[in-house]
Amino acid sequence: MTATKDLFTTLEQETLICGRCGYCRSVCPVYEVIGWESSTPRGKISLAREIFAHGKRNKLGEDFVKRLDQCTLCGACANVCSTCIDTRSLWLELRKRVADEGLAPEAYVNLKNNLITNKNISTFSNSDRLEWAEDLDEEPEGLELEEEADVCYFVGCVSSFYPQAAQVPLAICEILMQAGINFTTMGGEEWCCGYPLVSAGFVKDAEPFIKHNVAKIKELNIHTLIASCATCYHFWKHACAEELKGYNLEILHTTEYLARLIKTGKIQFDELDEVVTYHDPCDLGRNGGIFAAPREVITSIPGVELVEMQHNRSNSLCCGGGGNLQSVDPALAGHISALRVDEIKETGATIVVSACQQCEQMLSAGIREAGLKVRVMDISQLLQEVLL
Amino acid sequence: MKTEVQEQIKKEFDERATDSAFECSFYTRDLAPVPDFLVDPLFKTRPDMVVRPQNTAEVAQILKIADENRIPVTPRAGGSTVYFNSIPTRGGILMDLNLIKGIKALNKDEMTVTVRAATTWSELEEYLNRQGLAAKSYPSSAPVATIGGWFSMMGYGVGSLKYGNLLSQLRSIKVVFPAGEIKIITSETSPSLDWFACAEGTLGIITELELEVRSFTPMCHYLLQVHETKSIASIITTLKDAAVKPYNLHFSDKYYNQAMRKLGFTAGQIEDANIIAVDYEGEESELKEAAEIVAAVVAGNKSVKMLNKNIALKEWEERFKALKLKRGGPSQLGAEICLPIEKLGLYLKEIDKVSSIYRLGLTSYGHVVDRGHLTVMTMFYADETKKVSYVIGLSLVKKIQDAGYKYGGYPYGIGLWNTPYLKRIFTPANLAQIRTRKKTVDQKNIINPGKVYKWPFLFHPLTFSLGCNVMAATRRICGKGEKR
Ligand SMILES: Cc1cc2nc3c(=O)[nH]c(=O)nc-3n(C[C@H](O)[C@H](O)[C@H](O)COP(=O)(O)OP(=O)(O)OC[C@H]3O[C@@H](n4cnc5c(N)ncnc54)[C@H](O)[C@@H]3O)c2cc1C
Ligand code: SF4
Ligand code: SF4
């Protein structure tokens, strides 16, 4: 059977194909919070059809652009679409059209300008990318730009520059060192993967980022890349594929790599008597197809009981942090995260583990807000705690 | 609608009421891709405002204001119907019921569940499955269709063959009447439950429903490939009349299957043939007996071949995805007809004729909904961006309706667009009866006006038929159309 992704034709054609059945509405977290038909995938596609397939350009107004930006790009709508529309690609194309018309919101334009200047989503200099490594007990050899290392760890902007998320690369480094892996990072030569630009509609502006990162990987003669950010992973795997054509690069999410280390006996763990639930990041799970590896990793810890949330795997609820939503509507992102926090609470787990620093940041804030006594951890942090 | 009333509702419902032109514009269409130039001169489909009540009391509050001011109110839940059933025809208030959802109570002793009206069938099923239970039946639009929405329509779908239509599974409903009065309705009350089945939201607004459930049981699935189209009806008849009743029984004709294959949607080895899918649920002994029934049908009919179990399972898993055929369009037009099972062969033959005369490339599939009937959907591709041929295409839908009517069929669902066929759907006595009911309950005609009971002036069956025939003739003479 043909995969949904391969079926995507053009924006115009896909909007015409949409049957307006509304299956997508039932799973959209944005609609769940906003409640108006204008916020449903069905509603937005109907108006996009008017504008682009029926040429009613005058309907492309501020209200509509706002609704297009109120989307986490979680892909839940694509997962259930009755006419197999890859709606995630459709949302990206719509944002591109909006940006092409000069109608992108100010927050997106600022994000673009900052990225072009700094090469990362923070306001820090890109040469500070490895500052987090100062907190390592002992800095591994070849941490920066080591040619022909067995593995290159793509840290990602958030983990590189934001202290809370920096715990993730610290944990990953410790695990890799313990396992005796010869690994490196791109240090100050790591640029943003480019996804924030694509998801804001500035597709062309993302190209230099893709080209730069791929060129560096080739220059270092790296053949295995791991990413702990679910979105960086997804972007490397899909958006960089064209640029990587003809070059042999295995792209793995850290959960996949960690599962491999466990299977080959390179790392072992102490017992942990806790009930853990796992939150599937959208770009790793539903959009990336990786469900088993993180679960294998968690259940490999003796004593851990893994309980699933009501919505899990491909039906998992979004944390609210995707699609640049926080930059345009942080309150909406917070409400979406609260929906997920309710499900976490239902499980009775004492720890919620995820595999994306953005999800972890959203869930931490949500859990704090709800006053729950649940720890939020990246899967690597959980392993770090029990590493023998 | 008066500004003061609008302001009053906005004040009372705060952020759950809007009269923004932008927001209201999203409630002007359902699945039916009817062009603006055909709709807008005749109907005011854009509501003056949309309100989202969250409980029965709020529904009553809105209806009271509407009744006092004679404002039309259109109830809308999943909005997954196709005949403008939940689309305003005269503006007014669009009552979006989607906040009235969730499970209210489960009674395991009585095997009933009480749900709020806008709970979807998938949500209910998910909840029941976690309790070891299941819905007796649901529409094949379960991911979006609501319990209240399906009851307001005909209430036939997956599971109806074994367990009957939704009306037969209902114990009671809570209804808010036009003046805001709230009543619990059962089969014993007056008005009784049957008034509201198929009323398409024209008599009152349902906020809660108590319905029967069943135990969750194992299932088995079979997919039969049938080469001879004329054998479909007899095989279906054998299967439906056998000692074990199928839970679900449907067919798709070879043209439908060809179209699916062309789109890359056919799993595995389906040849150029018709398909019958039959699914059973029940105790292991029942499933064992069902297996023997299906095996006997295959053994006794040279035209039938049993397909691989995995493909049968896949067909079942895809039961909510019939719309994917639309990818070959981009638009699709068609009609859904409730047809006597024994007439299926003749109907399909007639459809063959219509298809070749008008070069339509018609494809059909259908579900057996009770012992005597199936609902058949017959469709053809169109392109709504090509205005003239599209409008002619719309008129050809009547040719499908006529083929159905010739063999005792009638449209499934009414809304606005099927009102020209009212006399096919109801006997004169039935029509008089439902019109009396409407008058009794909603004297001011404020609840979902313009639907079900009367055709609008320009839709008079004679004018409508004449218009459609003229356009069909145009297509017959000049149309290029599709080849099958
Ligand atoms: C792919 C697909 C498959 C389908 N399969 C089936 C099927 O198997 N069987 C079938 O019957 N239909 C089917 N349908 C049509 C439709 O989905 C169903 O009839 C569905 O049950 C309608 O529910 P809804 O919540 O979407 O109602 P809506 O479309 O919102 O409303 C339907 C009607 O009910 C009224 N209404 C809604 N809620 C209430 C309420 N609480 N109180 C009073 N009135 C109300 C509305 O005014 C309207 O007239 C299918 C549609 C699609 C797209
Ligand atoms: S991607 Fe997620 S948030 Fe965006 S429209 Fe689809 S379901 Fe809603
Ligand atoms: S599920 Fe797909 S076909 Fe249905 S309304 Fe949503 S986008 Fe359109």
Side-chain angles (χ1 to χ4, degrees):
Chain A
M1 297 242 293
T2 321
T4 301
K5 229 181 159 42
D6 303 332
L7 293 174
F8 193 83
T9 52
T10 61
L11 170 69
E12 287 75 8
Q13 182 77 357
E14 297 295 320
T15 59
L16 287 165
I17 285 170
C18 166
R20 288 202 275 238
C21 64
Y23 289 12
C24 48
R25 192 193 73 149
S26 308
V27 296
C28 175
V30 169
Y31 169 69
E32 180 71 22
V33 173
I34 294 179
W36 296 113
E37 183 69 21
S38 62
S39 66
T40 63
R42 165 174 71 183
K44 292 185 283 185
I45 295 176
S46 289
L47 186 49
R49 167 179 1 204
E50 293 287 293
I51 296 168
F52 297 103
H54 290 298
K56 296 184 182 162
R57 297 276 159 160
N58 61 330
K59 292 197 174 181
L60 182 56
E62 229 174 78
D63 287 338
F64 186 45
V65 172
K66 181 174 158 200
R67 287 290 187 242
L68 291 179
D69 296 334
Q70 285 171 319
C71 164
T72 65
L73 297 173
C74 69
C77 46
N79 198 38
V80 297
C81 178
S82 69
T83 58
C84 304
I85 298 174
D86 177 12
T87 45
R88 200 169 171 277
S89 296
L90 190 136
W91 304 133
L92 290 173
E93 177 61 20
L94 274 168
R95 288 189 182 184
K96 179 178 174 298
R97 302 274 181 113
V98 167
D100 289 350
E101 300 270 344
L103 295 171
E106 201 184 331
Y108 284 7
V109 176
N110 293 342
L111 178 131
K112 175 183 80 164
N113 293 339
N114 180 63
L115 269 165
I116 290 172
T117 311
N118 290 327
K119 311 297 179 218
N120 68 68
I121 59 160
S122 79
T123 49
F124 299 109
S125 157
N126 208 46
S127 55
D128 295 340
R129 278 240 178 216
L130 283 184
E131 248 184 38
W132 55 268
E134 286 167 16
D135 287 342
L136 282 169
D137 290 341
E138 153 206 5
E139 185 168 316
E141 241 178 74
L143 182 65
E144 188 169 5
L145 292 165
E146 176 79 358
E147 275 183 41
E148 299 193 354
D150 290 341
V151 172
C152 178
Y153 171 36
F154 191 85
V155 184
C157 297
V158 178
S159 292
S160 298
F161 293 105
Y162 297 94
Q164 194 190 355
Q167 301 310 308
V168 176
L170 287 171
I172 285 171
C173 279
E174 195 181 322
I175 299 167
L176 294 179
M177 284 159 77
Q178 175 88 351
I181 305 298
N182 164 22
F183 73 101
T184 190
T185 69
M186 290 159 72
E189 286 299 329
E190 177 183 313
W191 289 9
C192 169
C193 64
Y195 175 76
L197 287 165
V198 170
S199 66
F202 305 111
V203 178
K204 273 255 163 281
D205 295 289
E207 280 172 16
F209 287 77
I210 295 173
K211 280 193 184 341
H212 169 88
N213 285 331
V214 170
K216 278 291 151 208
I217 286 294
K218 287 180 180 170
E219 217 173 283
L220 294 173
N221 202 15
I222 296 290
H223 293 280
T224 300
L225 179 133
I226 61 172
S228 50
C229 165
T231 304
C232 295
Y233 158 77
H234 189 267
F235 198 76
W236 266 99
K237 195 111 184 163
H238 300 279
C240 300
E242 188 60 32
E243 193 65 24
L244 279 165
K245 237 183 199 160
Y247 184 78
N248 175 22
L249 180 69
E250 184 183 32
I251 299 161
L252 298 169
H253 185 261
T254 40
T255 50
E256 294 176 282
Y257 193 70
L258 292 171
R260 202 181 271 181
L261 294 182
I262 293 166
K263 263 192 204 131
T264 50
K266 292 224 162 83
I267 40 175
Q268 272 118 30
F269 314 114
D270 213 345
E271 214 173 284
L272 182 69
D273 188 17
E274 297 274 4
V275 179
V276 172
T277 190
Y278 173 67
H279 166 79
D280 290 272
C282 300
D283 280 342
L284 185 66
R286 180 166 44 238
N287 302 328
I290 303 213
F291 303 109
R295 289 174 169 80
E296 276 165 32
V297 172
I298 295 167
T299 51
S300 71
I301 304 171
V304 160
E305 185 194 343
L306 175 67
V307 283
E308 294 290 354
M309 283 181 249
Q310 187 186 334
H311 293 96
N312 58 68
R313 297 183 173 81
S314 60
N315 296 323
S316 184
L317 295 189
C318 176
C319 70
N324 296 338
L325 179 62
Q326 265 187 307
S327 68
V328 289
D329 196 341
L332 174 60
H335 286 305
I336 293 173
S337 137
L339 300 174
R340 191 56 164 163
V341 170
D342 283 346
E343 289 205 342
I344 293 171
K345 189 176 167 193
E346 282 290 301
T347 62
T350 49
I351 299 177
V352 55
V353 169
S354 193
C356 168
Q357 73 298 322
Q358 179 69 1
C359 298
E360 287 140 22
Q361 180 244 319
M362 291 303 298
L363 296 178
S364 297
I367 280 172
R368 219 177 306 123
E369 179 80 25
L372 291 187
K373 284 206 164 56
V374 176
R375 290 166 76 200
V376 182
M377 301 174 99
D378 185 79
I379 202 158
S380 57
Q381 290 172 280
L382 182 73
L383 293 194
Q384 184 190 26
E385 269 200 13
V386 290
L387 203 57
L388 279 177
Chain B
M1 187 171 166
K2 282 193 216 134
T3 323
E4 310 92 79
V5 182
Q6 254 167 258
E7 289 308 316
Q8 181 194 348
I9 294 177
K10 270 163 60 184
K11 206 165 142 209
E12 286 175 19
F13 287 85
D14 195 23
E15 64 195 15
R16 287 184 287 111
T18 182
D19 55 4
S20 134
F22 173 75
E23 295 298 347
C24 292
S25 71
F26 287 87
Y27 301 83
T28 57
R29 290 292 181 275
D30 58 9
L31 276 77
V34 192
D36 294 354
F37 67 87
L38 286 184
V39 177
D40 296 349
L42 300 178
F43 308 103
K44 187 169 180 263
T45 57
R46 197 172 88 194
D48 296 300
M49 71 185 312
V50 184
V51 194
R52 296 188 292 130
Q54 46 189 6
N55 50 45
T56 308
E58 288 190 353
V59 170
Q61 194 181 338
I62 299 164
L63 285 184
K64 220 160 168 287
I65 300 172
D67 184 64
E68 280 161 12
N69 295 280
R70 287 185 173 263
I71 301 165
V73 177
T74 309
R76 174 179 165 121
S80 66
T81 34
V82 290
Y83 303 118
F84 273 29
N85 315 64
S86 58
I87 304 298
T89 54
R90 301 179 195 164
I93 299 170
L94 185 298
M95 201 188 290
D96 179 334
L97 297 165
N98 288 291
L99 287 176
I100 306 178
K101 69 171 185 177
I103 312 298
K104 198 167 173 212
L106 176 66
N107 186 336
K108 281 194 174 174
D109 297 330
E110 286 279 316
M111 291 292 273
T112 61
V113 66
T114 305
V115 286
R116 294 186 181 88
T119 311
T120 67
W121 283 96
S122 287
E123 283 161 352
L124 175 63
E125 189 66 352
E126 214 176 275
Y127 167 82
L128 290 175
N129 289 176
R130 288 202 301 274
Q131 315 287 328
L133 302 169
K136 287 187 164 180
S137 63
Y138 46 75
S140 45
S141 50
V144 63
T146 64
I147 318 291
W150 196 40
F151 177 57
S152 303
M153 299 303 295
M154 310 281 276
Y156 283 104
V158 177
S160 307
L161 175 58
K162 183 161 181 180
Y163 291 106
N165 66 3
L166 184 57
L167 173 64
S168 69
Q169 301 159 25
L170 274 188
R171 295 282 174 90
S172 67
I173 57 174
K174 191 184 269 183
V175 180
V176 187
F177 286 88
E181 194 188 355
I182 301 165
K183 274 191 189 163
I184 302 288
I185 302 294
T186 66
S187 52
E188 309 293 321
T189 54
S190 174
S192 58
L193 269 177
D194 58 321
W195 284 41
F196 298 86
C198 318
E200 303 196 6
T202 58
L203 297 180
I205 291 175
I206 302 163
T207 56
E208 272 174 35
L209 303 93
E210 185 193 3
L211 57 141
E212 293 166 5
V213 296
R214 64 178 175 94
S215 296
F216 183 85
T217 46
M219 291 194 77
C220 61
H221 313 281
Y222 303 93
L223 204 56
L224 310 180
Q225 188 169 279
V226 184
H227 280 281
E228 284 176 14
T229 305
K230 67 174 191 305
S231 308
I232 303 176
S234 64
I235 294 168
I236 282 179
T237 305
T238 310
L239 289 167
K240 81 168 168 69
D241 290 338
V244 180
K245 236 190 228 178
Y247 182 63
N248 182 50
L249 179 55
H250 77 249
F251 84 94
S252 51
D253 75 358
K254 62 179 174 195
Y255 304 111
Y256 177 95
N257 299 326
Q258 278 165 4
M260 280 291 197
R261 190 172 31 206
K262 212 164 139 190
L263 291 168
F265 288 137
T266 313
Q269 1 108 324
I270 298 180
E271 288 162 19
D272 204 5
N274 310 288
I275 291 289
I276 293 177
V278 56
D279 310 280
Y280 296 89
E281 62 79 28
E283 299 303 324
E284 289 301 339
S285 57
E286 223 177 320
L287 297 186
K288 214 169 142 221
E289 202 179 332
E292 286 160 13
I293 292 167
V294 180
V297 166
V298 177
N301 200 324
K302 277 202 194 103
S303 145
V304 179
K305 184 174 146 192
M306 174 110 70
L307 293 172
N308 179 307
K309 280 237 146 125
N310 293 334
I311 308 179
L313 178 62
K314 185 91 200 151
E315 178 80 9
W316 169 253
E317 286 170 349
E318 294 279 295
R319 68 196 177 284
F320 303 138
K321 299 255 174 124
L323 263 183
K324 64 180 183 255
L325 193 67
K326 198 169 177 291
R327 289 203 69 85
S331 316
Q332 215 174 16
L333 294 170
E336 188 167 25
I337 289 157
C338 195
L339 196 75
I341 295 173
E342 73 274 11
K343 294 286 162 54
L344 178 64
L346 291 170
Y347 170 77
L348 290 176
K349 222 168 159 189
E350 186 74 19
I351 283 299
D352 257 349
K353 256 197 246 165
V354 176
S355 191
S356 67
I357 293 174
Y358 297 101
R359 280 155 274 179
L360 285 178
L362 293 173
T363 62
S364 298
Y365 71 88
H367 292 263
V368 179
V369 291
D370 62 26
R371 282 201 169 238
H373 295 87
L374 34 64
T375 53
V376 185
M377 186 83 197
T378 299
M379 303 152 293
F380 57 99
Y381 285 135
D383 183 348
E384 67 186 74
T385 59
K386 298 186 175 123
K387 290 210 169 65
V388 176
S389 63
Y390 189 71
V391 172
I392 292 175
L394 278 170
S395 74
L396 290 168
V397 170
K398 182 163 182 300
K399 294 289 161 199
I400 302 174
Q401 290 287 4
D402 291 348
Y405 185 54
K406 190 168 171 185
Y407 295 105
Y410 55 87
Y412 183 77
I414 307 168
L416 170 68
W417 300 115
N418 277 339
T419 49
Y421 305 111
L422 275 177
K423 289 190 171 165
R424 293 182 181 181
I425 301 171
F426 297 105
T427 61
N430 283 151
L431 193 55
Q433 184 191 41
I434 62 160
R435 283 175 176 164
T436 308
R437 286 177 179 175
K438 174 73 174 172
K439 277 210 184 99
T440 315
V441 170
D442 182 21
Q443 291 95 342
K444 294 183 190 164
N445 189 23
I446 62 158
I447 308 270
N448 210 358
K451 323 279 171 67
V452 180
Y453 304 95
K454 258 200 212 148
W455 46 85
F457 176 65
L458 281 175
F459 283 29
H460 187 283
L462 268 179
T463 344
F464 180 77
S465 172
L466 189 69
C468 290
N469 284 338
V470 169
M471 285 196 267
T474 317
R475 163 87 177 212
R476 195 171 176 174
I477 298 161
C478 359
K480 276 200 207 109
E482 286 259 333
K483 274 212 183 107
R484 268 178 166 184

